[in-house]
């Protein structure tokens, strides 16, 4: 076990965990930030996507020992009341079905718009293709990203 001081959603948090523990489990089991979901555990589905210094990252494959001073943002850190423009667009387009993948989808979409404020359909498809939705909400996700890009 080792102690880590992590910057999560703008606050310093301390955890005592095995260095190989994936950030997904640090967030969920130690910091009670359960908006980030477990899907595959092998970086293939995107359900566990968070931001590391603003870049989309699969937290299931990110050992806590690799984080250091980099800032982690989870879905809980976007806003306290779903008022982030991407969250608002998601609600406007009624994107979620079961909802399980949507935290990861939103985190990927926020990172996309940060790097590319006016993405084409192809840009959206290329970036979001790593986020799997078993409910098939892909068309609504694309429309919501276009709406968020205008706001
Ligand atoms: S749970 Fe991390 S990519 Fe699937
Ligand atoms: S909304 Fe159900 S998996 Fe995406």
């Amino acid at each position: 076990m080792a102690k880590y001081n992590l910057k999560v959603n703008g606050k310093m948090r301390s955890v005592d965990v095995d260095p190989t523990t994936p950030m997904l489990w640090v967030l969920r089991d130690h910091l009670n930030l359960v908006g980030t979901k477990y899907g595959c555990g092998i970086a293939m589905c995107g359900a566990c996507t968070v931001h590391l210094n603003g870049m989309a990252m699969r937290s299931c494959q990110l050992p806590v020992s690799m984080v250091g001073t980099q800032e982690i943002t989870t879905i809980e850190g976007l806003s306290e009341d779903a008022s982030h423009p991407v969250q608002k667009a998601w609600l406007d387009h009624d994107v979620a079905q079961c909802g399980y993948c949507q935290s990861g989808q939103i985190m990927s979409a926020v990172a996309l718009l940060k790097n590319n404020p006016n993405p084409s359909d192809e840009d959206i498809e290329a970036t979001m293709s790593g986020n799997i939705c078993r409910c098939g909400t892909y068309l609504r996700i694309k429309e919501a990203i276009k709406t968020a890009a205008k706001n």
Side-chain angles (χ1 to χ4, degrees), residues 95-102 105 132-138 140-141:
V95 172
Q97 193 162 319
C98 81
Y100 197 85
C101 72
Q102 298 294 332
Q105 303 279 3
I132 308 300
C133 176
R134 293 187 66 157
C135 300
T137 62
Y138 301 111
R140 294 200 296 275
I141 286 170

Side-chain angles (χ1 to χ4, degrees), residues 14-74:
S14 218
V15 291
D16 199 357
V17 291
D18 186 282
T20 61
T21 309
M23 268 312 297
L24 171 63
W25 301 117
V26 172
L27 293 169
R28 290 185 57 84
D29 292 350
H30 296 269
L31 301 179
N32 199 31
L33 293 167
V34 294
T36 305
K37 303 300 187 204
Y38 169 71
C40 64
I42 54 170
M44 296 294 285
C45 76
C48 66
T49 304
V50 299
H51 293 175
L52 194 63
N53 281 351
M55 305 257 297
M57 187 70 58
R58 306 296 191 241
S59 63
C60 69
Q61 289 289 303
L62 176 65
V64 64
S65 58
M66 300 293 288
V67 173
T69 57
Q70 299 178 90
E71 184 155 358
I72 294 165
T73 307
T74 69

Side-chain angles (χ1 to χ4, degrees), residues 93-141:
H93 287 272
D94 216 0
V95 172
Q97 193 162 319
C98 81
Y100 197 85
C101 72
Q102 298 294 332
S103 157
Q105 303 279 3
I106 288 172
M107 296 311 285
S108 290
V110 170
L112 163 66
L113 290 171
K114 190 173 172 207
N115 291 323
N116 181 356
N118 192 18
S120 65
D121 278 18
E122 291 72 25
D123 295 334
I124 295 171
E125 284 159 18
T127 299
M128 301 301 293
S129 64
N131 286 79
I132 308 300
C133 176
R134 293 187 66 157
C135 300
T137 62
Y138 301 111
L139 290 179
R140 294 200 296 275
I141 286 170

